[in-house]
Amino acid sequence: MIELRRAVPEDLDCLFEAANSAFAGSTVSGKGPRWKRSREFLGDCLAEQECWCILLDGRTVGGLLLFPQPDCLWLEGAFVEAGHQGEGIGQQALGELLRRYPEATWRLKTPAADKRDCHFYEKLGFVRTGTETGHGGQEFALYEKIRILSEKPLTELDFSYIIIKLSCFLRQQVFYNIKGFGPPAEED
């Protein structure tokens, strides 16, 4: 049975082990966020941010790291140790966390070359909103999951926000799909 529990500083070792296991076999260049590589950084996350342990039969097998921002919840990390990947644990755990914050806007970034990660977030309702080039030239896919509207009626501001987001998305799609647009081809 999958459970979520708010992490405490004593969870640092098991979360660090799960994170390193989760990213150990990655074939994506540069895969592995800074908290995976630094026990100290992960410890700071536990002390200053909202971190969750993913428990399977009472044992920590993964984690979720949230960085609350003024306008959204930034998902800094979601990981399940290698031995339990592909079992739906991450999907169940993140799905539960999304249900706990139904009116929040969520954002994250993940390596664009990691098709498995991109598919994972898209299955949970995240929409790709763009890309960003990180240090070393690695391309990241930016994702957002817009809040689920509650029983409150939509306001004019809600409609404006939805129209602006849809317009930006469509413009981006049209721009990149029209033949002849985009960066010029290199000449030989």
Side-chain angles (χ1 to χ4, degrees):
M1 173 168 203
I2 303 298
E3 292 177 66
L4 278 181
R5 177 179 53 77
R6 189 76 182 259
V8 295
E10 292 76 25
D11 293 316
L12 176 61
D13 289 335
C14 56
L15 283 171
F16 190 70
E17 277 182 37
N20 277 284
S21 170
F23 298 108
S26 175
T27 57
V28 176
S29 173
K31 178 73 176 199
R34 60 186 179 266
W35 43 263
K36 178 258 181 189
R37 298 184 305 267
S38 168
R39 184 181 299 270
E40 181 181 345
F41 183 82
L42 184 56
D44 290 344
C45 290
L46 284 169
E48 300 167 11
Q49 305 300 333
E50 188 171 326
C51 302
W52 295 82
C53 291
I54 301 172
L55 305 171
L56 175 64
D57 298 325
R59 188 176 81 73
T60 299
V61 296
L64 299 166
L65 307 179
L66 292 180
F67 288 14
Q69 304 294 312
D71 63 336
C72 71
L73 287 175
W74 181 265
L75 182 62
E76 177 66 18
F79 56 91
V80 173
E81 64 185 26
H84 291 288
Q85 290 178 2
E87 297 175 7
I89 293 170
Q91 188 173 349
Q92 288 177 46
L94 185 51
E96 173 59 30
L97 203 55
L98 291 167
R99 284 187 290 280
R100 291 183 187 199
Y101 299 97
E103 293 192 17
T105 295
W106 293 71
R107 293 193 181 110
L108 64 93
K109 70 179 179 181
T110 193
D114 193 332
K115 301 303 179 199
R116 185 175 172 181
D117 273 7
C118 293
H119 179 68
F120 171 78
Y121 293 115
E122 289 165 5
K123 280 193 310 188
L124 286 163
F126 284 85
V127 175
R128 190 171 179 163
T129 58
T131 59
E132 172 184 290
T133 303
H135 299 294
Q138 183 178 18
E139 186 177 339
F140 288 92
L142 304 174
Y143 281 92
E144 184 170 318
K145 183 172 177 67
I146 298 172
R147 66 185 171 90
I148 299 168
L149 299 172
S150 67
E151 294 156 10
K152 296 182 278 185
L154 289 174
T155 66
E156 219 174 287
L157 186 60
D158 291 325
F159 280 116
S160 297
Y161 179 77
I162 292 167
I163 290 168
I164 289 169
K165 282 294 191 183
L166 182 58
S167 174
C168 290
F169 174 76
L170 291 174
R171 257 185 280 141
Q172 181 184 26
Q173 296 305 308
V174 168
F175 178 79
Y176 287 110
N177 289 323
I178 295 175
K179 191 170 187 159
F181 281 85
E186 291 185 27
E187 295 181 25
D188 292 329

